[in-house]
Amino acid sequence: MVSVGIVTAKAIRVSFHGKWTNGDGTPLRVDSLVVTTPAEFLPADKEATFTLHNVTIGIDYHWQRNEDQTFGGSLKIIKEGDSLTAVNTLAIEDYLVSVISSEMKPTAHMEFLKAAAVISRSWVLKQKEHHASPLRNDPSTNSPETDTIITWQDHRDHTLYDVCADDHCQRYQGLTRIIHPNARNAVEETAHQVLTYGGEVCDCRFSKCCGGTTEAYSTCWEDRDVAYLRPVADTDPDNGHVFCNTSDKSILSQVLNDYDLTTTDFYRWKKVYTQTRLQQLLRLKTGRDFGDIKALRPLTIGPGGRICRLLIEGTHTHLVIGKELTIRAALSESHLYSSAFTIEASPTSPGGIPQTFTLNGRGWGHGVGLCQIGAAVMANKGYTYTEILQHYYPHTSLSIYKSSGSDKT
């Protein structure tokens, strides 16, 4: 089983379909509720589902929106801080059917869907292992005295449930996106299969588009190496063509959900800021007045080309920020597509102050592990799901997971 945090709000509106009971076993006699205190609801028949209203998806990203979503399994409303969170508990295999329908379209190539099922299963089992030991950033690196802010957003931030339902973890949108039997077939045909390394289940990270080269784990998260999460050239050995460099609409329409299809410049992109706009943006995102921005200087670049530590040099103050997602958030109204970018600053004023900053970037997402668009292209070229997994996670093994209170296989 897996517990998934869906939506957080002061009050949560939910509609019930089929027969339900309260947590104490008494029948639920209403079809809808606005819940303002902790509560629990259990399905009383196999067909019972519930709908959560105004669920925010793509939180803080350029595709953020609200929608109503329907789920199977049980529902618990818990207190989290000064708000409430709706937590859905269901069987992992049912969860996976929704994940691979939410992260991409279930009409995609079956070998791609099977690869997605294996890595999603591996990832969620690894997160359950980490559930009791959440990873926290070191606050000593984030004090104003050091003029340094180094943070990362890890999937192990949740302590009251296993994973969340948004891009922070992996997309889970319940029954809303399950529109094709291929999704369940992909899960069933890979039943209990996980990727392992050294006998342990792999922490299978993935992103939309690596831009030509995947990234090392340490560039985006903890300062440690993960043997199977290292830079991989996303190229076809037969012709040197980059797998994820595609504009094939028939492939993209299968990989990307409707709201993702609005993003068309994912492989190579450009962002231009005037001096005034960059000052305003950095003041808003960091809370600091830099004065005129003299330079944006990459201090640490990962082996896959993504900036890990960036110096913002102003006439009033300097600041070092990282890691990659912190950089992406600081330099955009929402988030830059990735931190794999170069910087052009010109022209300069007589005082040496650049008037514009141009960011020339590649890829969409953190770039670690499987590249979804690249993997979809590989599947359409005839690669099997096992070949796709070996390409993005070198030296791993495909194993059968045994549920025994451990991630041993």
Side-chain angles (χ1 to χ4, degrees), residues 48-352:
T49 61
F50 65 91
T51 298
L52 293 172
H53 300 273
N54 293 318
V55 176
T56 304
I57 63 174
I59 297 173
D60 293 333
Y61 289 93
H62 62 277
W63 61 88
Q64 178 175 315
R65 66 197 63 204
N66 286 354
E67 62 182 28
D68 297 343
Q69 295 181 347
T70 300
F71 303 87
S74 64
L75 172 64
K76 193 171 187 177
I77 309 296
I78 65 171
K79 187 78 171 174
E80 190 171 22
D82 59 356
S83 298
L84 297 173
T85 297
V87 178
N88 178 207
T89 299
L90 71 164
I92 284 180
E93 297 300 291
D94 290 332
Y95 164 79
L96 293 175
V97 175
S98 175
V99 167
I100 66 172
S101 303
S102 305
E103 283 284 351
M104 66 284 297
K105 285 186 178 177
T107 51
H109 195 288
M110 181 56 71
E111 294 302 302
F112 173 51
L113 294 179
K114 287 161 69 174
V118 172
I119 64 174
S120 294
R121 182 183 293 111
S122 304
W123 178 86
V124 74
L125 289 169
K126 198 66 172 178
Q127 300 319 300
K128 285 179 66 65
E129 175 196 346
H130 293 315
H131 179 74
S133 58
L135 180 68
R136 300 301 183 196
N137 295 309
D138 181 0
S140 66
T141 64
N142 303 327
S143 63
E145 291 77 13
T146 64
D147 291 319
T148 301
I149 299 175
I150 303 296
T151 62
W152 59 86
Q153 188 177 46
D154 196 83
H155 301 108
R156 291 161 56 185
D157 290 340
H158 307 301
T159 58
L160 301 180
Y161 40 87
D162 295 323
V163 295
C164 71
D166 205 38
D167 294 77
H168 173 261
C169 290
Q170 51 186 9
R171 292 178 184 174
Y172 166 67
Q173 296 164 353
L175 304 174
T176 308
R177 296 281 186 261
I178 301 174
I179 57 175
H180 198 283
N182 278 357
R184 187 165 297 280
N185 290 341
V187 172
E188 291 177 350
E189 289 179 24
T190 62
H192 309 297
Q193 293 182 8
V194 293
L195 277 185
T196 60
Y197 182 87
E200 304 289 328
V201 174
C202 292
D203 183 355
C204 293
R205 308 290 169 115
F206 55 90
S207 65
K208 279 290 180 222
C209 175
C210 69
T213 306
T214 66
E215 189 54 80
Y217 175 90
S218 58
T219 301
C220 305
W221 296 289
E222 304 151 89
D223 291 323
R224 64 180 179 89
D225 293 327
V226 177
Y228 52 85
L229 296 178
R230 65 186 190 187
V232 171
D234 195 32
T235 53
D236 189 328
D238 294 332
N239 55 29
H241 181 77
V242 176
F243 287 124
C244 62
N245 181 14
T246 182
S247 57
D248 188 328
K249 293 182 179 179
S250 65
I251 295 177
L252 293 178
S253 65
Q254 294 176 10
V255 179
L256 304 179
N257 278 310
D258 295 341
Y259 50 88
D260 287 328
L261 283 170
T262 61
T263 304
T264 58
D265 56 345
F266 53 82
Y267 183 68
R268 293 291 183 268
W269 52 267
K270 177 184 290 189
K271 193 77 173 177
V272 180
Y273 291 117
T274 65
Q275 172 70 226
T276 299
R277 180 58 187 137
L278 186 60
Q279 289 182 39
Q280 294 171 342
L281 186 61
L282 289 173
R283 187 184 301 115
L284 173 66
K285 290 304 187 79
T286 69
R288 302 191 184 199
D289 180 6
F290 289 90
D292 290 333
I293 308 300
K294 297 165 63 178
L296 300 175
R297 302 186 191 279
L299 299 182
T300 306
I301 299 176
R306 286 154 187 82
I307 301 173
C308 182
R309 294 170 66 245
L310 178 73
L311 170 64
I312 305 170
E313 184 179 347
T315 54
H316 292 176
T317 189
H318 296 183
L319 178 67
V320 176
I321 61 172
K323 290 188 172 182
E324 65 91 32
L325 189 61
T326 301
I327 294 169
R328 291 165 59 191
L331 294 176
S332 174
E333 293 82 357
S334 55
H335 287 76
L336 292 176
Y337 289 161
S338 79
S339 71
F341 60 85
T342 59
I343 304 156
E344 297 177 11
S346 64
T348 58
S349 67

